[in-house]
Amino acid sequence: MLDQIKNAVHDRKNDWVSFCRKLIQTPSPTYAEDKVAHLCMDEMKKLVYDDVWRDEKGNVIAIVEGSDPDAPVINCNSHLDQVAEGDENDWRFPPFSAHIEDGRIYGRGASDTKGAIAVQVYAPSILTGLGQRPRSTVIVTLVVEEELSGQGTKYLLENSDLGFDLCILGEATSNNIMLGHRGCVSTWVNILGTSAHASMPEKGRNPNYDAARFMLRLEEEQTRLKAHPELGRSTLTPTIYDTGQISRNTIPDRVRLYIDVRNACEESDDIRDILEKIARDLSIDIEIEQVRDIEGNVKVSNGFATPPEHGYVVQTQKIVTETLGRDVKLGHWRFCTDGRLTSAAGIPTIGFSPCEEHLAHTIDDSVSIQLMEESLCCYPRLFTDMSRVCGCKTPDHHT
């Protein structure tokens, strides 16, 4: 059966490569996913899915009914939206050209996640093209607004009566298997000073010096944080530095820092305590602003960790290893995904994709055609060979 799948994937290479290129050639920034959504729906209808539709949020949903009601229902989830392309002049190839060079398809969104969309859309049809049904019912969900806190997946989970036994995300894994990621707490720190003329620094308190001390201490403090057994330590990384000052000869009254918090063990209150302790130790005045949602709650993107011994993880690693004929690693993403939402809904969640993490959101955004071909050989076997798992440890969902 594996040889048949590999031959079918190779024989249809022009089709899935062409589809991937069309996806990349169709810009789909957040809130403007309509064109790429219709492109996907049209392709799915040609591939003889049993049902294809869009929900009220704009997510595309498509189903291929499985042959075995006892097999797990598998959800393949990728997102339609992409981040902005930035300055086109910075790109080696135009960002929406889908140029092919050295076995790669280049363009914005190729690695996040249009390469994966092409694979997940075509994967069930590899089996149906061979005259077979997958054992598992396969539900492909191509969601909107992932780049904006996962609003598409959130809507799907809250408003759909679809039931999933396993979610496979199309976020970048280089055909390895990802099991989760740390959370994210959006945090601003205002370091307060006293404004004065730059020629009379003794009349004020320059917050730039305090900010420098604060950031150096923050770097030290991170090494003392507790390590999660799978996700590692939290990181608190200063990224945006703003004095709000346009005059070159004025000491600012504050420095505004954005701290990119990726939390593995600590919750939002713990992060605040860490920042306040640093300020007290250094005798620095600060104000902390943790970004809040429309309901007034601290805005947190939760993390999750599916246990490596989970039955679906064990089966997936075995099937992918056998298909590719090489060791397949288990790992964790550095960035956040919609997996935090599916996991929180009690759905065992993993990632498997030809996309590559280091290329996401970069001017080298691209996807390997070889990795796509490999991935397309694996997915049909996952749909056919996976057995339902009961009584396994559920994912660790945390803030």
Short mmCIF file of all heavy atoms in Angstrom, two decimals, residues 299-332:
data_model
loop_
_atom_site.label_atom_id
_atom_site.label_comp_id
_atom_site.label_asym_id
_atom_site.label_seq_id
_atom_site.Cartn_x
_atom_site.Cartn_y
_atom_site.Cartn_z
N LYS A 299 -4.81 39.35 28.84
CA LYS A 299 -4.79 38.61 27.58
C LYS A 299 -3.63 37.63 27.59
O LYS A 299 -2.47 38.02 27.57
CB LYS A 299 -4.67 39.58 26.41
CG LYS A 299 -4.87 38.93 25.05
CD LYS A 299 -4.89 39.98 23.96
CE LYS A 299 -5.11 39.35 22.60
NZ LYS A 299 -5.11 40.37 21.52
N VAL A 300 -3.96 36.35 27.63
CA VAL A 300 -2.95 35.30 27.71
C VAL A 300 -3.16 34.31 26.58
O VAL A 300 -4.28 33.84 26.37
CB VAL A 300 -3.02 34.56 29.06
CG1 VAL A 300 -2.04 33.41 29.11
CG2 VAL A 300 -2.76 35.53 30.22
N SER A 301 -2.12 34.01 25.84
CA SER A 301 -2.15 32.89 24.90
C SER A 301 -1.57 31.69 25.64
O SER A 301 -0.38 31.67 25.97
CB SER A 301 -1.32 33.20 23.65
OG SER A 301 -1.90 34.24 22.91
N ASN A 302 -2.41 30.74 25.95
CA ASN A 302 -1.99 29.61 26.77
C ASN A 302 -1.03 28.69 26.03
O ASN A 302 -1.02 28.63 24.80
CB ASN A 302 -3.21 28.82 27.24
CG ASN A 302 -4.10 29.62 28.17
OD1 ASN A 302 -3.60 30.38 28.99
ND2 ASN A 302 -5.40 29.48 28.03
N GLY A 303 -0.25 27.97 26.80
CA GLY A 303 0.58 26.93 26.24
C GLY A 303 -0.05 25.56 26.44
O GLY A 303 -1.06 25.42 27.12
N PHE A 304 0.54 24.54 25.81
CA PHE A 304 0.07 23.19 26.04
C PHE A 304 1.20 22.22 25.74
O PHE A 304 2.17 22.57 25.05
CB PHE A 304 -1.16 22.86 25.18
CG PHE A 304 -0.85 22.56 23.73
CD1 PHE A 304 -0.80 21.25 23.27
CD2 PHE A 304 -0.62 23.59 22.82
CE1 PHE A 304 -0.52 20.97 21.94
CE2 PHE A 304 -0.34 23.32 21.48
CZ PHE A 304 -0.29 22.00 21.04
N ALA A 305 1.08 21.02 26.27
CA ALA A 305 2.09 19.99 26.02
C ALA A 305 1.40 18.63 25.98
O ALA A 305 0.95 18.12 27.01
CB ALA A 305 3.16 20.01 27.11
N THR A 306 1.27 18.05 24.81
CA THR A 306 0.74 16.71 24.67
C THR A 306 1.83 15.71 25.08
O THR A 306 2.95 15.80 24.56
CB THR A 306 0.30 16.43 23.22
OG1 THR A 306 -0.70 17.40 22.85
CG2 THR A 306 -0.28 15.03 23.07
N PRO A 307 1.55 14.80 26.00
CA PRO A 307 2.60 13.91 26.49
C PRO A 307 3.19 13.03 25.38
O PRO A 307 2.44 12.53 24.53
CB PRO A 307 1.87 13.04 27.52
CG PRO A 307 0.66 13.81 27.91
CD PRO A 307 0.26 14.58 26.69
N PRO A 308 4.49 12.85 25.36
CA PRO A 308 5.10 12.02 24.30
C PRO A 308 4.65 10.57 24.35
O PRO A 308 4.72 9.88 23.33
CB PRO A 308 6.61 12.15 24.57
CG PRO A 308 6.73 12.63 25.98
CD PRO A 308 5.51 13.44 26.25
N GLU A 309 4.16 10.12 25.52
CA GLU A 309 3.68 8.74 25.62
C GLU A 309 2.21 8.60 25.24
O GLU A 309 1.66 7.48 25.29
CB GLU A 309 3.90 8.21 27.05
CG GLU A 309 3.05 8.86 28.12
CD GLU A 309 3.63 10.13 28.71
OE1 GLU A 309 4.61 10.67 28.12
OE2 GLU A 309 3.15 10.58 29.77
N HIS A 310 1.56 9.69 24.87
CA HIS A 310 0.15 9.61 24.47
C HIS A 310 0.02 8.65 23.28
O HIS A 310 0.85 8.64 22.37
CB HIS A 310 -0.36 11.00 24.08
CG HIS A 310 -1.85 11.09 23.97
ND1 HIS A 310 -2.55 10.49 22.95
CD2 HIS A 310 -2.77 11.71 24.75
CE1 HIS A 310 -3.85 10.74 23.11
NE2 HIS A 310 -4.01 11.48 24.19
N GLY A 311 -1.04 7.87 23.28
CA GLY A 311 -1.21 6.85 22.25
C GLY A 311 -1.19 7.39 20.83
O GLY A 311 -0.65 6.74 19.92
N TYR A 312 -1.78 8.56 20.60
CA TYR A 312 -1.77 9.13 19.26
C TYR A 312 -0.38 9.60 18.86
O TYR A 312 0.00 9.54 17.68
CB TYR A 312 -2.77 10.28 19.16
CG TYR A 312 -4.22 9.82 19.14
CD1 TYR A 312 -5.16 10.41 19.97
CD2 TYR A 312 -4.63 8.78 18.29
CE1 TYR A 312 -6.49 9.98 19.96
CE2 TYR A 312 -5.94 8.35 18.28
CZ TYR A 312 -6.87 8.95 19.12
OH TYR A 312 -8.18 8.52 19.11
N VAL A 313 0.39 10.08 19.82
CA VAL A 313 1.77 10.48 19.52
C VAL A 313 2.60 9.25 19.15
O VAL A 313 3.34 9.26 18.16
CB VAL A 313 2.41 11.20 20.73
CG1 VAL A 313 3.89 11.50 20.46
CG2 VAL A 313 1.65 12.48 21.06
N VAL A 314 2.47 8.20 19.93
CA VAL A 314 3.23 6.96 19.67
C VAL A 314 2.89 6.41 18.29
O VAL A 314 3.78 6.05 17.50
CB VAL A 314 2.93 5.91 20.76
CG1 VAL A 314 3.58 4.57 20.42
CG2 VAL A 314 3.44 6.40 22.12
N GLN A 315 1.60 6.36 17.97
CA GLN A 315 1.19 5.84 16.66
C GLN A 315 1.69 6.73 15.52
O GLN A 315 2.19 6.24 14.50
CB GLN A 315 -0.33 5.75 16.58
CG GLN A 315 -0.94 4.66 17.43
CD GLN A 315 -2.44 4.54 17.17
OE1 GLN A 315 -2.85 3.97 16.17
NE2 GLN A 315 -3.24 5.09 18.08
N THR A 316 1.55 8.04 15.70
CA THR A 316 1.98 8.96 14.64
C THR A 316 3.48 8.84 14.38
O THR A 316 3.92 8.78 13.22
CB THR A 316 1.64 10.42 15.02
OG1 THR A 316 0.22 10.53 15.21
CG2 THR A 316 2.07 11.38 13.93
N GLN A 317 4.26 8.81 15.44
CA GLN A 317 5.71 8.69 15.26
C GLN A 317 6.07 7.39 14.55
O GLN A 317 6.93 7.37 13.66
CB GLN A 317 6.42 8.79 16.60
CG GLN A 317 7.94 8.86 16.48
CD GLN A 317 8.63 9.05 17.82
OE1 GLN A 317 8.11 8.65 18.86
NE2 GLN A 317 9.80 9.66 17.81
N LYS A 318 5.40 6.30 14.91
CA LYS A 318 5.68 5.00 14.29
C LYS A 318 5.32 5.03 12.80
O LYS A 318 6.11 4.59 11.94
CB LYS A 318 4.88 3.91 15.00
CG LYS A 318 5.09 2.50 14.45
CD LYS A 318 4.33 1.49 15.30
CE LYS A 318 4.59 0.06 14.81
NZ LYS A 318 3.99 -0.22 13.49
N ILE A 319 4.14 5.55 12.47
CA ILE A 319 3.69 5.58 11.07
C ILE A 319 4.58 6.47 10.22
O ILE A 319 4.99 6.11 9.11
CB ILE A 319 2.22 6.05 11.01
CG1 ILE A 319 1.29 4.98 11.61
CG2 ILE A 319 1.81 6.37 9.57
CD1 ILE A 319 -0.12 5.47 11.88
N VAL A 320 4.91 7.66 10.73
CA VAL A 320 5.74 8.60 9.95
C VAL A 320 7.15 8.06 9.79
O VAL A 320 7.75 8.15 8.72
CB VAL A 320 5.74 9.99 10.62
CG1 VAL A 320 6.71 10.93 9.90
CG2 VAL A 320 4.33 10.59 10.61
N THR A 321 7.70 7.45 10.84
CA THR A 321 9.04 6.86 10.76
C THR A 321 9.08 5.75 9.72
O THR A 321 10.00 5.68 8.90
CB THR A 321 9.46 6.31 12.14
OG1 THR A 321 9.55 7.40 13.07
CG2 THR A 321 10.82 5.62 12.06
N GLU A 322 8.08 4.88 9.74
CA GLU A 322 8.03 3.79 8.76
C GLU A 322 7.88 4.32 7.34
O GLU A 322 8.50 3.80 6.40
CB GLU A 322 6.87 2.84 9.08
CG GLU A 322 7.07 2.01 10.34
CD GLU A 322 5.83 1.20 10.68
OE1 GLU A 322 4.77 1.41 10.03
OE2 GLU A 322 5.92 0.34 11.58
N THR A 323 7.08 5.35 7.18
CA THR A 323 6.82 5.91 5.85
C THR A 323 8.06 6.59 5.28
O THR A 323 8.40 6.41 4.10
CB THR A 323 5.66 6.91 5.90
OG1 THR A 323 4.49 6.26 6.42
CG2 THR A 323 5.34 7.45 4.51
N LEU A 324 8.77 7.35 6.11
CA LEU A 324 9.92 8.12 5.63
C LEU A 324 11.22 7.33 5.71
O LEU A 324 12.22 7.72 5.09
CB LEU A 324 10.06 9.41 6.45
CG LEU A 324 8.87 10.38 6.38
CD1 LEU A 324 9.16 11.65 7.15
CD2 LEU A 324 8.50 10.71 4.93
N GLY A 325 11.23 6.25 6.46
CA GLY A 325 12.44 5.43 6.57
C GLY A 325 13.57 6.11 7.29
O GLY A 325 14.75 5.85 7.00
N ARG A 326 13.23 6.98 8.24
CA ARG A 326 14.26 7.67 9.04
C ARG A 326 13.67 8.03 10.39
O ARG A 326 12.46 8.00 10.59
CB ARG A 326 14.76 8.93 8.33
CG ARG A 326 13.72 10.03 8.16
CD ARG A 326 14.38 11.32 7.70
NE ARG A 326 13.43 12.41 7.57
CZ ARG A 326 12.83 12.78 6.45
NH1 ARG A 326 13.09 12.12 5.32
NH2 ARG A 326 11.97 13.78 6.43
N ASP A 327 14.54 8.36 11.32
CA ASP A 327 14.08 8.77 12.64
C ASP A 327 13.29 10.07 12.54
O ASP A 327 13.68 11.00 11.83
CB ASP A 327 15.26 8.96 13.59
CG ASP A 327 15.93 7.65 13.96
OD1 ASP A 327 15.25 6.60 13.85
OD2 ASP A 327 17.11 7.66 14.36
N VAL A 328 12.20 10.12 13.24
CA VAL A 328 11.36 11.32 13.29
C VAL A 328 11.35 11.83 14.72
O VAL A 328 11.02 11.10 15.66
CB VAL A 328 9.92 10.99 12.82
CG1 VAL A 328 9.02 12.19 13.01
CG2 VAL A 328 9.93 10.56 11.36
N LYS A 329 11.74 13.09 14.90
CA LYS A 329 11.90 13.66 16.22
C LYS A 329 10.58 14.20 16.77
O LYS A 329 9.70 14.64 16.03
CB LYS A 329 12.94 14.79 16.19
CG LYS A 329 14.32 14.35 15.74
CD LYS A 329 15.25 15.55 15.62
CE LYS A 329 16.63 15.15 15.11
NZ LYS A 329 17.51 16.34 14.93
N LEU A 330 10.49 14.16 18.10
CA LEU A 330 9.42 14.85 18.81
C LEU A 330 9.98 16.17 19.33
O LEU A 330 11.12 16.23 19.80
CB LEU A 330 8.91 14.02 19.98
CG LEU A 330 8.38 12.62 19.66
CD1 LEU A 330 7.94 11.91 20.94
CD2 LEU A 330 7.23 12.67 18.67
N GLY A 331 9.20 17.22 19.23
CA GLY A 331 9.70 18.52 19.69
C GLY A 331 8.56 19.44 20.07
O GLY A 331 7.39 19.04 20.17
N HIS A 332 8.90 20.72 20.28
CA HIS A 332 7.93 21.73 20.68
C HIS A 332 8.21 23.01 19.91
O HIS A 332 9.37 23.36 19.67
CB HIS A 332 7.99 21.99 22.18
CG HIS A 332 7.67 20.78 23.00
ND1 HIS A 332 8.62 19.82 23.30
CD2 HIS A 332 6.50 20.36 23.55
CE1 HIS A 332 8.05 18.85 24.00
NE2 HIS A 332 6.78 19.16 24.18
#
